[in-house]
Amino acid sequence: MDALYRTPLLDCFRRGEVAPDVRLLAAQGVLAPRAHEQLALLAWLTGDSDAGIRQAAERTLGRIPRPMLERFLARPDVPDELRTFFSDRGVTPSAASEVGDDAPLIDSEGDGEAEDAPTEDTAAPVVAQDTRRMATVQRLSMLTPTQKVKVAMRGTREERSVLIRDPAKLVALAVLSSPKLTEQEVEGFAKIPAISEDALRVIGTSRAWIKNYTVVQGLVFNPKTPVAISLGMVNRLVDRDIRTLSTDRNVPEPIRFAARKILQTAASRKR
């Protein structure tokens, strides 16, 4: 079951770091923003230690129309372990594969999804933008952790920019699991010292995200990034950034040392 599907949110569930009320919401089909994630979560929660959560997961699975589930299981991107889980329950892929989108197969909150705000609103004065952001911060601060998780996955870009800083690890990981999350947002997150090491670790171990130089640069210069993550990225920086890094007192000494070593090696080769 461990290999069914991997996302930051799912990993948090597997490590047993999720409160019962949040697990129950997931078992009811509320939390997961993608079909793959939803089915993997439901499959995982059928083995939960709480009988009520196990039963809720089973009921939610039973509400998914069988033809829809069979068509989804025929998709080439469905993990074999997930097909095996449903095959053991008598549900097999249909003859015809249906690619479609990755929307949840069952949505217990169909009207709860907000639209993303525009990336940039040049017409709005800076003061108005700051006022709006403060209102967003205050509104989100009044939510329960469970409500924050739902907003993190289904909310707007502005809400994600606030919730990525939340001290609750599950909330930040829910932001990173949001299907609305853009690479541009991740570039910004990588530079923020105010977010958790867990969130930075997730960004730094995502193959898709660390293909982006701006993400790598942000992580290496971020003093909160775990040294084990940033140390392996120093040699990917361009010369200009390595020189700056070698004297940057905000980053851990092992990172500065690695940068100086790269510069010394490059200098010796030129002799």
Side-chain angles (χ1 to χ4, degrees):
M1 292 289 290
D2 284 351
L4 277 177
Y5 188 60
R6 303 301 299 266
T7 71
L9 188 67
L10 276 170
D11 287 345
C12 207
F13 274 81
R14 290 192 180 99
R15 291 192 298 265
E17 300 171 348
V18 182
D21 59 334
V22 180
R23 301 205 310 274
L24 180 59
L25 282 175
Q28 294 168 343
V30 173
L31 290 186
R34 303 177 182 85
H36 285 82
E37 195 169 36
Q38 184 177 65
L39 290 184
L41 258 181
L42 291 172
W44 177 261
L45 291 171
T46 58
D48 195 272
S49 58
D50 187 306
I53 293 174
R54 293 198 302 271
Q55 293 166 6
E58 293 287 0
R59 286 195 299 270
T60 303
L61 285 172
R63 288 167 51 207
I64 300 175
R66 183 161 179 151
M68 179 189 295
L69 181 55
E70 291 175 341
R71 289 196 299 272
F72 182 83
L73 292 175
R75 289 174 48 156
D77 55 349
V78 172
D80 291 338
E81 294 88 346
L82 198 54
R83 289 198 188 94
T84 300
F85 172 83
F86 285 102
S87 176
D88 292 342
R89 292 167 168 248
V91 183
T92 56
S94 63
S97 173
E98 180 177 291
V99 177
D101 59 25
D102 204 17
L105 298 184
I106 185 167
D107 193 348
S108 299
E109 285 195 338
D111 60 348
E113 188 165 344
E115 292 298 325
D116 264 348
T119 300
E120 184 176 0
D121 184 2
T122 55
V126 173
V127 173
Q129 292 180 23
D130 289 345
T131 301
R132 186 179 67 238
R133 180 173 176 82
M134 285 301 300
T136 300
V137 171
Q138 292 173 357
R139 173 171 53 81
L140 294 175
S141 69
M142 299 174 66
L143 300 181
T144 66
T146 301
Q147 291 170 329
K148 288 180 181 179
V149 167
K150 290 191 286 185
V151 174
M153 292 188 297
R154 300 184 176 206
T156 65
R157 181 190 184 104
E158 186 174 41
E159 289 168 331
R160 289 192 295 276
S161 72
V162 174
L163 292 174
I164 191 64
R165 297 168 168 82
D166 197 272
K169 178 164 60 175
L170 182 62
V171 175
L173 296 188
V175 170
L176 296 177
S177 295
S178 171
K180 293 181 168 187
L181 185 67
T182 66
E183 193 167 276
Q184 185 179 13
E185 288 177 84
V186 177
E187 290 176 0
F189 294 164
K191 301 175 183 178
I192 302 174
I195 71 176
S196 70
E197 290 188 10
D198 293 291
L200 292 169
R201 183 177 291 105
V202 167
I203 295 172
T205 54
S206 169
R207 293 180 181 178
W209 290 337
I210 61 174
K211 290 179 182 178
N212 182 318
Y213 182 83
T214 303
V215 171
V216 171
Q217 181 191 52
L219 289 171
V220 175
F221 279 90
N222 191 330
K224 283 287 292 295
T225 302
V227 172
I229 298 292
S230 54
L231 197 58
M233 297 179 176
V234 175
N235 61 0
R236 293 181 54 186
L237 298 179
V238 298
D239 289 347
R240 181 185 67 255
D241 286 336
I242 293 177
R243 291 186 183 281
T244 302
L245 187 67
S246 67
T247 58
D248 189 338
R249 306 298 296 182
N250 292 319
V251 299
E253 174 57 29
I255 306 303
R256 292 199 302 274
F257 178 81
R260 290 196 295 269
K261 187 173 181 180
I262 291 173
L263 292 175
Q264 291 169 359
T265 301
S268 64
R269 287 175 179 172
K270 292 178 181 180
R271 294 171 185 169

